[in-house]
Structure formats: C-alpha cells, structure tokens
Amino acid sequence: MAWFFISNSAVPNISTVMFYYQTEVLHLEASFLGTARVIGWFSLMLGTYIYNRYLKHKKLRNILMFAHLGLAIITVLDILLVSRLHIQYGIADKYMVLWGSALADAINQFKMMPFLILSGQLCPPGIEGTLFALFMSINNLSSTLGSFLGAALTSALNISSVQFDNLALGLAVQLMGTLLPIGFLFLIPRDVTGLTSGYRPDHHFFWTGLVCIP
C-alpha cells in the first residue's frame, strides 16, 4: 500500500493543463477528444485482458516497473507534442493525442489490477468492506495529492489555461516523478506475482468480485 501511495502522490498531475493546450493551442475539437476518451475506455478493457492473459503470473515488481516505464514513454510523447518535434516527421497532432490517451489507459490498468487483487487478499474475513474501503481511500488520497502537486507545479512555472511557455518543462518534471516510484519497488516483496500466492478459499467470493470489477 505504501508503494501504491508513493506511485500516485509523487507524480504531479497536469492533465487539466494538457486539456487546455489541446483545445486552445492545437484546436482539437470536443468531438475528437470525446472519441479519444472512448478509445481510452476500450484500452482499459484491453489492458485488463492482457493482464489476466499474460501478466498475472509475472513478478509484481517487474509488472509495476514496466508500467511506470511505459507511463514515462507516454509523458515523453506529450513533451514531443508540446515541443512540436513530431511535425518534422509528418505525424499529426490528433495521432499523438489519440495514441497517448489509449496507451496511458491500458498501462494504468496494469497498476490498478494488482492493486485491486492485493487489496482483496489482504482483507481478513469479517472486515472486507471496511478494510477495502480504507485501501481505496489511500489510493484516492494519493491521487488527490498528485493533483495538488500538479497545481503547485503549474503555479510555480506560471503555466495556465492561456500560458503554456513552460509546459514542456512541467512535463519534464512529471517525467522524473513518474520514474521516481521505480526506486521504491523494494517495498514490494520480491517473489509476489501479479496474482499473488495468498489465495484462501474463504475469500473466494470477494476475490471473484474484485476480478470482475474492471
């Protein structure tokens, strides 16, 4: 739980600023951004399938490490988008935004699935609801702290809905924050897999519910 908390709170969330950049600077239409979100939801389902099919028996440390490396690559794509470096290769803005959104949602699912499974297995019989709610509260609190950190970052760099001069620098800081949790993977037991080995029959119903949630 400590690692999941760090992995969310250490990454400044500046997605709101990116939305304004996409609409005010790139002039992407609302219908396109809506389509990108729909594709993102399909990517969530694809990420769930890939995790259950290929990753659940892999070492959890490796899954989380590659997930954050993947998210770092997505941030690099955003930096390229803001720096306009992709134009010289003939790549349209829409494709950069579309692929970035789709891949980010799929990769995030590789983090969320083991979090849900671990939360279910760590709950003793009789207090499943209370303890699972605590775990989800920790997850939501860390995400909120990441948003506050993003707000502080954009304020410090004078980034706003109409000022984007330092947006690439803000994304570079976000990139470093994305890589930071990899250094704390020692908090995850070395031999734990994406499925974990602590399954107990008396948790069967709760376990099944967790698998079905996504």
Side-chain angles (χ1 to χ4, degrees), residues 166-205:
N166 294 322
L167 181 54
L169 178 58
L171 288 169
V173 175
Q174 185 185 55
L175 174 62
M176 291 185 289
T178 303
L179 295 173
L180 181 63
I182 296 177
F184 291 88
L185 281 173
F186 65 87
L187 294 171
I188 304 293
R190 184 184 302 274
D191 296 326
V192 171
T193 67
L195 185 63
T196 77
S197 57
Y199 173 80
R200 292 187 294 174
D202 54 351
H203 283 188
H204 175 71
F205 179 78

Side-chain angles (χ1 to χ4, degrees), residues 10-15 17-18 75-76 78-79 82-83 149-160 163-178:
V11 182
N13 185 348
I14 57 176
S15 59
V17 176
M18 282 301 298
T75 305
V76 171
D78 285 338
I79 294 175
V82 172
S83 302
L149 183 60
L153 175 64
T154 54
S155 178
L157 296 178
N158 195 29
I159 303 172
S160 67
Q163 179 63 259
F164 305 101
D165 291 342
N166 294 322
L167 181 54
L169 178 58
L171 288 169
V173 175
Q174 185 185 55
L175 174 62
M176 291 185 289
T178 303

Side-chain angles (χ1 to χ4, degrees), residues 48-93:
T48 302
Y49 171 78
I50 293 175
Y51 181 87
N52 282 320
R53 184 69 176 84
Y54 300 105
L55 300 179
K56 63 183 180 182
H57 295 294
K58 304 295 183 181
K59 294 291 183 63
L60 184 55
R61 282 189 182 186
N62 293 337
I63 296 173
L64 297 176
M65 180 183 69
F66 284 112
H68 268 262
L69 289 175
L71 292 174
I73 292 174
I74 300 302
T75 305
V76 171
L77 292 179
D78 285 338
I79 294 175
L80 294 176
L81 177 68
V82 172
S83 302
R84 316 301 292 155
L85 295 177
H86 63 289
I87 298 297
Q88 57 185 315
Y89 298 103
I91 304 175
D93 295 332

Side-chain angles (χ1 to χ4, degrees), residues 92-112:
D93 295 332
K94 288 186 175 182
Y95 291 114
M96 294 288 289
V97 173
L98 192 63
W99 284 108
S101 175
L103 291 175
D105 286 331
I107 294 173
N108 272 314
Q109 195 68 349
F110 298 157
K111 281 181 58 179
M112 196 60 183

Side-chain angles (χ1 to χ4, degrees), residues 48 52 113 116-117 195 206-214:
T48 302
N52 282 320
M113 286 293 290
L116 293 173
I117 293 172
L195 185 63
F206 195 61
W207 171 275
T208 304
L210 282 175
V211 173
C212 291
I213 283 178

Side-chain angles (χ1 to χ4, degrees), residues 126-175:
I127 61 169
E128 292 92 345
T130 300
L131 198 56
F132 185 73
L134 173 63
F135 290 154
M136 294 307 298
S137 297
I138 292 173
N139 183 68
N140 293 335
L141 174 61
S142 63
S143 298
T144 302
L145 291 177
S147 297
F148 279 124
L149 183 60
L153 175 64
T154 54
S155 178
L157 296 178
N158 195 29
I159 303 172
S160 67
S161 59
V162 295
Q163 179 63 259
F164 305 101
D165 291 342
N166 294 322
L167 181 54
L169 178 58
L171 288 169
V173 175
Q174 185 185 55
L175 174 62

